[in-house]
Amino acid sequence: MTGTARRAAVLGSPVAHSKSPALHRAAYAALGLEGWTYDALDTDADQLPDRVGNAGSEWIGFSVTMPCKFAALAFADERTRRAELVGSANTLVRIDGGWRADCTDIDGMTGALVEVGVPATADRAVVIGAGGTARPTIAALADAGITEVAVVARSADRARGVLDLAGEFGITARVIGFESGTVLRDACTEADVTVSTVPAPAAAVLAPSVSAAARFVDVIYDPWPTPLAAAVAEAGGTVVGGLVMLLNQAYSQVEQFTGLPAPKAAMAAAVGL
């Protein structure tokens, strides 16, 4: 397919490790989009408005990772309902007169929950962390039928936004402290799925408790396995890593950037899935 060359990129800091370029480049090649490029641009939250605002007309979209997800939502001229609801955006798409923000992280987590085998009867979950990725995780858990969530956070104050969001979805939520070893282990034992949304070093101290999880999703894919993923796998639990989430959130991004169906097989092969 010939046509005007277009550009896209992932924004974040650090971002050199990102596998998004591999996913998007594989998609553009499979779709026959000649001259389309996708790069990784180190960008922090303060730099995002200038980076996107000064992008020429050849730029059609940006994937957004930490620490830029809140800044992307604030910058956008238009926002999808789900991005507004969860309060963060991982996708900026060129529209007439500006940029539209979306949160395809919800699609990514939904795909990971399916992959890890969360049953249709599931009602309890544990979410480790209360930052930008925890919010779309709550939305995906609600879609999966979860009605009770234990949020693992340093304090109830830090978890307030996630607790409030859970309430909007009709989910009963409580906070478990990072030092509550026995309480966390019991919660993971009883949960249908446990999800970690925090960096591997920060979560490592929780490994003895989280090892009790029957199903575990970690949003991290580099380094892999994380200490939590290794602990759950060693104890016999089912583990799904961040590559599955990354792949599933990228499908929708590709479709929004190109207007074409995502070539899922080519994209999965690009990251070894």
Side-chain angles (χ1 to χ4, degrees):
M1 179 185 297
T2 59
T4 304
R6 292 288 184 260
R7 300 183 69 183
V10 57
L11 307 180
S13 186
V15 78
H17 69 284
S18 176
K19 293 188 181 296
S20 289
L23 284 170
H24 283 258
R25 290 169 186 170
Y28 303 161
L31 292 171
L33 297 173
E34 298 176 6
W36 283 50
T37 63
Y38 187 102
D39 300 300
L41 303 178
D42 198 280
T43 307
D44 63 27
D46 291 335
Q47 295 168 328
L48 182 140
D50 284 341
R51 172 80 76 182
V52 180
N54 293 327
S57 60
E58 73 276 14
W59 288 90
I60 46 86
F62 293 95
S63 307
V64 181
T65 187
M66 296 304 290
C68 297
K69 294 183 179 183
F70 299 129
L73 185 72
F75 171 82
D77 303 282
E78 181 181 301
R79 301 164 186 85
T80 63
R81 183 177 181 277
R82 64 180 183 174
E84 287 187 328
L85 185 60
V86 302
S88 70
N90 75 322
T91 306
L92 289 170
V93 183
R94 173 86 71 178
I95 58 173
D96 289 341
W99 296 88
R100 181 182 69 242
D102 190 22
C103 185
T104 71
D105 279 335
I106 299 171
D107 304 326
M109 183 54 67
T110 295
L113 294 176
V114 171
E115 184 76 13
V116 83
V118 174
T121 56
D123 59 3
R124 294 182 181 180
V126 173
V127 176
I128 301 169
T133 308
R135 299 177 71 87
T137 296
I138 292 292
L141 289 170
D143 288 344
I146 296 297
T147 59
E148 297 179 33
V149 171
V151 179
V152 184
R154 299 290 183 185
S155 69
D157 286 343
R158 295 182 67 171
R160 180 54 51 198
V162 173
L163 297 179
D164 290 345
L165 179 63
E168 292 186 40
F169 281 107
I171 295 175
T172 301
R174 62 188 173 104
V175 176
I176 297 176
F178 262 63
E179 296 78 21
S180 304
T182 301
V183 175
L184 175 56
R185 184 173 182 84
D186 289 345
C188 290
T189 300
E190 297 168 0
D192 295 289
V193 64
T194 297
V195 180
S196 178
T197 68
V198 300
V205 66
L206 305 177
S209 298
V210 176
S211 64
R215 301 175 190 86
F216 177 71
V217 175
D218 201 320
V219 305
I220 303 299
Y221 61 81
D222 184 18
W224 187 261
T226 64
L228 296 189
V232 173
E234 185 175 348
T238 302
V239 174
V240 166
L243 277 181
V244 173
M245 180 179 177
L246 182 74
L247 180 63
N248 279 273
Q249 63 83 33
Y251 293 151
S252 181
Q253 284 185 343
V254 166
E255 291 174 353
Q256 292 186 58
F257 291 177
T258 68
L260 299 170
K264 295 182 178 181
M267 292 173 69
V271 290
L273 292 178

